Amino acid sequence: MIIQRVVLNSRPGKNGVPVAENFRLEQSTIADTIQVGQVRVRTLYLSVDPYMRCRMNEDTGSDYLLPWQLSEVADGGGIGVVEESKHDNLAKGDFVTSFNWPWQTVAILDGSLLQKLVPQLVNGRLSYFLGAAGITGLTALLGIREKGHVAAGANQTMVVSGAAGACGSLAGQIGRLEGCSRVVGIAGTDEKCSILVQEMGFDAAINYKKGNVAEQLRELCPGGVDVYFDNVGGDISDTVISQMNQNSHIILCGQISQYNKDVPYPPPLPPDIEKIQKERNITRERFLVLNYMDKQEASVLQLCQWIQEGKLKVRETMVEGLANIGDAFQSMMNGGNIGKQIVSVSK
């Protein structure tokens, strides 16, 4: 069977900025028949995420991420529909997902590595299982619960950087649902800031490209910052940390401003900021959602309930066609999307 697939065409280098040309669309073939335990699936949606930048390097810098190989098919979160099954628990027409879905139009996969999806849990919006009801939503929810120490009635202020992105836009809303009394987002355009406040219920949002971020933070968080959901690192995070309270908490979710630099993860703080962190007893521990998979099922059900009740607003940036996944990746790394970046492969 002839298929289309996307392979890693070139590496941007540890300090390079990814471009669409780092990926290549090509024709390939898969077997016409499947073996016992396998399923043939048609790809519907693929997820494009910031962590994938690390997989473009020969060394990902992480013990849980494997590097993509040159001229080999890339992979990540994906959703598809079963077209043929020789697995006892999966039937033709089932919707399934995997964290290691190959970037190709049709694939033969081990059925035991796939998770069956229930579209009704997300009001039929299957792509939500890659975002708000998937690993992105889990990262936001479990990050807040495990590292944020949010307590209802404690009058806590949360700041979210990268707040218009896939995880940040959910984290601010979940912070509110979990009990924060004030939520402030940091984003890169007036449009994003407006969406955060008017659509997603943030109390305020700061366009970091305009004005003085430190001054705006002091004005919007007069009682200081108790919880910081950090998606970006760098200067923005240094500014937020300098205004954090005693015994406050940093949820170290991502450091996208540092991903194109050859630095360890998490990147070390500047000496003056590290001094503040230690003096104020601010927690800053590496957070990896995969360490909390025992809480996955209950957490996904909670996310789906909030979605069904309209308490969790979801934004997606949908790109049509496998051929455009390189452009989608480049746009995401440049901060051009709002919410989750999804590539629609097949209708």
Side-chain angles (χ1 to χ4, degrees):
M1 178 183 293
I2 298 173
I3 63 165
Q4 287 188 316
R5 67 178 193 170
V6 170
V7 302
L8 184 65
N9 187 50
S10 58
R11 300 189 191 277
K14 281 196 170 183
N15 296 302
V17 178
V19 293
E21 291 72 25
N22 291 134
F23 299 96
R24 182 176 76 247
L25 180 71
E26 63 181 27
Q27 276 197 348
S28 185
T29 59
I30 60 171
D32 291 325
T33 58
I34 61 174
Q35 306 300 315
V36 173
Q38 293 182 327
V39 294
R40 187 178 77 245
V41 292
R42 176 166 50 89
T43 304
L44 300 176
Y45 300 104
L46 294 171
S47 177
V48 179
D49 301 286
Y51 82 87
M52 293 175 170
R53 171 63 183 87
C54 303
R55 300 192 69 188
M56 299 180 81
N57 299 331
E58 286 187 81
D59 178 5
T60 65
S62 169
D63 54 6
Y64 66 92
L65 287 178
L66 294 175
W68 287 328
Q69 300 300 320
L70 289 172
S71 295
E72 296 292 334
V73 66
D75 69 301
I79 289 172
V81 60
V82 176
E83 292 191 324
E84 183 183 358
S85 175
K86 288 189 177 178
H87 188 277
D88 291 342
N89 297 329
L90 296 173
K92 182 178 180 179
D94 284 345
F95 296 107
V96 291
T97 187
S98 167
F99 193 60
N100 300 108
W101 196 285
W103 287 7
Q104 57 194 56
T105 49
V106 180
I108 295 174
L109 303 175
D110 181 345
S112 65
L113 301 179
L114 299 174
Q115 180 181 354
K116 192 186 298 187
L117 299 175
V118 182
Q120 293 83 356
L121 289 176
V122 288
N123 301 324
R125 297 291 298 271
L126 273 173
S127 57
Y128 282 10
F129 284 115
L130 293 178
I135 200 76
T136 310
L138 285 171
T139 299
L141 177 58
L142 291 171
I144 288 168
R145 287 183 171 175
E146 299 296 329
K147 300 295 184 181
H149 302 277
V150 173
N155 197 32
Q156 292 165 297
T157 293
M158 172 186 279
V159 171
V160 183
S161 59
C167 200
S169 60
L170 299 172
Q173 298 178 76
I174 292 171
R176 170 82 77 202
L177 290 166
E178 289 289 287
C180 285
S181 59
R182 185 164 183 78
V183 179
V184 176
I186 302 175
T189 68
D190 288 342
E191 178 194 9
K192 290 178 178 179
C193 290
S194 177
I195 289 170
L196 291 174
V197 174
Q198 296 179 17
E199 184 177 316
M200 298 184 170
F202 284 61
D203 293 284
I206 297 169
N207 181 349
Y208 70 86
K209 296 180 180 177
K210 285 186 174 181
N212 186 300
V213 175
E215 289 179 2
Q216 293 178 77
L217 266 179
R218 276 191 289 271
E219 179 182 337
L220 295 171
C221 308
V225 178
D226 301 295
V227 184
Y228 173 39
F229 199 99
D230 185 5
N231 285 302
V232 301
D235 293 341
I236 294 293
S237 291
D238 296 345
T239 301
V240 176
I241 294 169
S242 68
Q243 297 189 33
M244 294 186 73
N245 292 324
Q246 194 75 24
N247 302 319
S248 55
H249 305 282
I250 298 168
I251 302 165
L252 196 58
C253 178
Q255 303 280 279
I256 195 168
S257 73
Q258 308 298 302
Y259 286 171
N260 296 327
K261 302 175 183 178
D262 187 10
V263 295
Y265 187 87
L269 297 171
D272 57 329
I273 302 299
E274 185 178 16
K275 183 181 179 184
I276 290 173
Q277 181 207 347
K278 290 180 177 178
E279 288 178 347
R280 298 181 192 172
N281 192 34
I282 301 169
T283 63
R284 183 180 183 257
E285 302 164 342
R286 186 170 185 173
F287 170 70
L288 179 61
V289 71
L290 298 178
N291 290 338
Y292 301 94
M293 284 298 97
D294 59 315
K295 301 181 179 180
Q296 176 184 3
E297 186 175 352
S299 298
V300 168
L301 289 175
Q302 174 66 84
L303 292 163
C304 290
Q305 181 181 337
W306 282 335
I307 291 169
Q308 290 175 339
E309 294 172 349
K311 293 179 179 178
L312 198 58
K313 308 294 184 184
V314 183
R315 274 273 188 153
E316 293 178 324
T317 299
M318 189 72 71
V319 174
E320 299 290 336
L322 185 63
N324 295 315
I325 200 166
D327 292 321
F329 192 92
Q330 181 176 334
S331 175
M332 176 207 56
M333 289 302 299
N334 290 335
N337 58 302
I338 297 175
K340 183 73 175 181
Q341 182 84 61
I342 301 285
V343 174
S344 175
V345 178
S346 176
K347 294 295 185 184

XYZ file of all heavy atoms in Angstrom, residues 158-162 167-168 171 227-234 236-238 240-241 244 249-257 259 265-267 269 284:
277
model
N -1.851 33.378 40.833
C -1.073 32.582 39.893
C -0.713 33.421 38.679
O -1.544 34.166 38.155
C -1.853 31.338 39.434
C -1.169 30.565 38.297
S -2.177 29.199 37.638
C -1.854 27.946 38.866
N 0.536 33.282 38.218
C 0.978 33.884 36.963
C 1.351 32.757 36.011
O 2.000 31.788 36.411
C 2.169 34.834 37.178
C 2.762 35.279 35.844
C 1.725 36.057 37.983
N 0.934 32.891 34.749
C 1.223 31.887 33.733
C 1.965 32.540 32.585
O 1.470 33.501 31.990
C -0.073 31.246 33.190
C 0.260 30.141 32.182
C -0.937 30.695 34.319
N 3.161 32.057 32.270
C 3.865 32.534 31.077
C 3.549 31.619 29.904
O 3.139 30.477 30.098
C 5.375 32.595 31.326
O 5.889 31.318 31.681
N 3.728 32.129 28.691
C 3.284 31.358 27.532
C 1.809 31.050 27.659
O 1.334 29.981 27.291
N -0.642 24.590 26.657
C -0.682 24.253 28.083
C -1.039 25.467 28.938
O -1.838 25.378 29.865
C 0.668 23.677 28.508
S 0.600 22.724 30.023
N -0.462 26.606 28.611
C -0.692 27.805 29.413
C -2.140 28.245 29.444
O -2.661 28.650 30.493
N -3.780 25.972 31.816
C -3.269 26.079 33.187
C -3.920 27.235 33.944
O -4.274 27.088 35.122
C -1.756 26.237 33.174
N 1.989 31.324 42.919
C 2.185 30.164 42.050
C 2.568 30.680 40.665
O 1.887 31.548 40.108
C 0.904 29.303 41.942
C 1.176 28.045 41.111
C 0.383 28.928 43.319
N 3.646 30.144 40.110
C 4.079 30.543 38.772
C 4.127 29.320 37.879
O 4.924 28.417 38.102
C 5.446 31.232 38.828
C 6.043 31.534 37.464
C 5.250 31.967 36.401
C 7.416 31.390 37.241
C 5.797 32.239 35.162
C 7.973 31.679 35.998
C 7.155 32.090 34.965
O 7.693 32.362 33.724
N 3.251 29.280 36.876
C 3.261 28.197 35.891
C 4.180 28.631 34.760
O 3.812 29.457 33.924
C 1.843 27.919 35.378
C 1.686 26.570 34.741
C 1.153 25.511 35.449
C 2.088 26.353 33.429
C 1.005 24.244 34.877
C 1.946 25.104 32.845
C 1.408 24.046 33.570
N 5.382 28.054 34.739
C 6.461 28.529 33.861
C 6.551 27.679 32.595
O 6.936 26.519 32.633
C 7.784 28.484 34.628
C 8.941 29.080 33.844
O 8.706 29.610 32.748
O 10.085 29.011 34.344
N 6.215 28.303 31.455
C 6.327 27.643 30.166
C 7.501 28.138 29.332
O 7.791 27.566 28.284
C 5.043 27.859 29.348
C 3.883 27.019 29.831
O 3.963 25.801 29.873
N 2.798 27.678 30.211
N 8.153 29.217 29.756
C 9.088 29.885 28.847
C 10.524 30.006 29.344
O 11.471 29.947 28.557
C 8.561 31.288 28.450
C 7.211 31.179 27.778
C 8.519 32.229 29.632
N 10.726 30.214 30.649
C 12.079 30.436 31.140
C 12.622 31.786 30.709
O 11.892 32.664 30.239
N 13.922 31.971 30.868
C 14.567 33.195 30.389
C 14.192 34.435 31.174
O 13.831 34.380 32.357
N 11.667 36.499 31.081
C 10.300 36.601 31.609
C 10.206 35.907 32.965
O 9.674 36.452 33.940
C 9.279 35.983 30.630
C 9.204 36.798 29.336
C 7.901 35.869 31.280
C 8.635 38.177 29.486
N 10.756 34.701 33.035
C 10.692 33.953 34.294
C 11.501 34.634 35.386
O 11.085 34.666 36.552
C 11.181 32.523 34.078
O 10.253 31.808 33.282
N 12.643 35.189 35.034
C 13.447 35.905 36.033
C 12.648 37.061 36.632
O 12.695 37.317 37.842
C 14.731 36.442 35.393
C 15.645 35.323 34.903
O 15.437 34.167 35.302
O 16.568 35.632 34.115
N 9.326 37.311 36.834
C 8.251 36.798 37.688
C 8.811 36.316 39.021
O 8.274 36.642 40.089
C 7.487 35.652 36.989
C 6.434 35.060 37.929
C 6.830 36.151 35.708
N 9.892 35.551 38.975
C 10.464 34.987 40.203
C 10.859 36.093 41.183
O 10.693 35.948 42.401
C 11.677 34.093 39.869
C 11.209 32.856 39.083
C 12.412 33.651 41.140
C 12.327 32.032 38.478
N 7.973 36.874 43.450
C 7.281 35.778 44.128
C 7.411 35.894 45.642
O 8.390 36.430 46.163
C 7.808 34.429 43.637
C 7.473 34.173 42.173
S 7.911 32.522 41.580
C 6.643 31.531 42.386
N 5.627 28.778 44.842
C 5.926 27.581 44.069
C 5.973 27.863 42.571
O 5.081 28.505 42.018
C 4.869 26.500 44.342
C 4.708 26.182 45.792
N 5.601 25.382 46.478
C 3.784 26.583 46.702
C 5.227 25.291 47.748
N 4.124 26.003 47.909
N 7.025 27.335 41.928
C 7.152 27.385 40.477
C 6.806 26.009 39.920
O 7.352 24.992 40.360
C 8.588 27.754 40.046
C 8.970 29.144 40.559
C 8.726 27.701 38.523
C 10.448 29.459 40.424
N 5.869 25.969 38.963
C 5.558 24.739 38.246
C 6.394 24.768 36.973
O 6.113 25.522 36.049
C 4.057 24.638 37.922
C 3.242 24.712 39.216
C 3.759 23.338 37.173
C 1.769 24.987 38.991
N 7.443 23.977 36.943
C 8.412 24.013 35.844
C 7.902 23.122 34.713
O 8.246 21.948 34.617
C 9.770 23.532 36.359
C 10.994 23.828 35.507
C 11.156 25.318 35.272
C 12.240 23.274 36.172
N 7.083 23.719 33.857
C 6.445 22.951 32.791
C 7.294 22.921 31.530
O 7.499 21.882 30.923
C 5.078 23.546 32.481
S 4.221 22.712 31.127
N 7.791 24.075 31.092
C 8.585 24.161 29.874
C 9.478 25.376 29.886
O 9.299 26.280 30.702
N 10.437 25.395 28.977
C 11.389 26.507 28.890
C 11.610 26.835 27.413
O 12.741 26.814 26.918
C 12.715 26.136 29.561
C 12.611 25.728 31.013
C 12.498 26.904 31.955
O 13.474 27.551 32.321
N 11.270 27.219 32.345
N 10.525 27.158 26.720
C 10.596 27.243 25.264
C 11.586 28.303 24.782
O 12.170 28.173 23.710
C 9.191 27.470 24.654
C 9.217 27.194 23.141
C 8.663 28.846 24.989
C 7.853 27.114 22.505
N 11.820 29.337 25.585
C 12.780 30.361 25.168
C 14.207 29.827 25.145
O 15.105 30.452 24.566
C 12.705 31.582 26.104
O 13.280 31.272 27.373
N 14.945 26.429 24.257
C 15.042 25.170 23.522
C 15.991 25.228 22.323
O 16.451 24.193 21.853
C 13.657 24.714 23.052
C 12.781 24.154 24.160
C 11.440 23.860 23.938
C 13.295 23.915 25.437
C 10.637 23.353 24.947
C 12.495 23.422 26.444
C 11.166 23.140 26.200
O 10.376 22.638 27.200
N 18.742 21.132 31.012
C 17.356 21.330 31.416
C 17.164 20.768 32.820
O 17.546 19.642 33.092
C 16.394 20.637 30.455
C 14.951 20.976 30.779
C 14.359 22.105 30.240
C 14.210 20.194 31.664
C 13.054 22.441 30.559
C 12.906 20.530 31.997
C 12.335 21.650 31.434
O 11.046 22.004 31.771
N 16.543 21.529 33.715
C 16.135 22.918 33.502
C 17.336 23.867 33.506
O 18.311 23.610 34.232
C 15.218 23.197 34.686
C 15.667 22.257 35.751
C 16.151 21.030 35.054
N 17.255 24.937 32.723
C 18.383 25.868 32.656
C 18.645 26.505 34.020
O 17.704 26.791 34.762
C 17.909 26.924 31.649
C 16.794 26.281 30.895
C 16.143 25.337 31.863
N 19.322 29.244 36.838
C 18.890 30.638 36.999
C 20.111 31.548 37.140
O 21.165 31.115 37.623
C 18.015 30.768 38.247
C 16.689 29.998 38.250
C 16.057 30.055 39.638
C 15.742 30.559 37.208
N 11.242 24.945 42.950
C 11.415 24.917 41.485
C 11.947 23.538 41.119
O 13.129 23.337 40.892
C 12.378 26.015 41.031
C 12.560 26.107 39.497
C 13.534 27.226 39.140
N 13.693 27.404 37.701
C 14.746 26.978 36.998
N 15.738 26.326 37.612
N 14.823 27.200 35.695
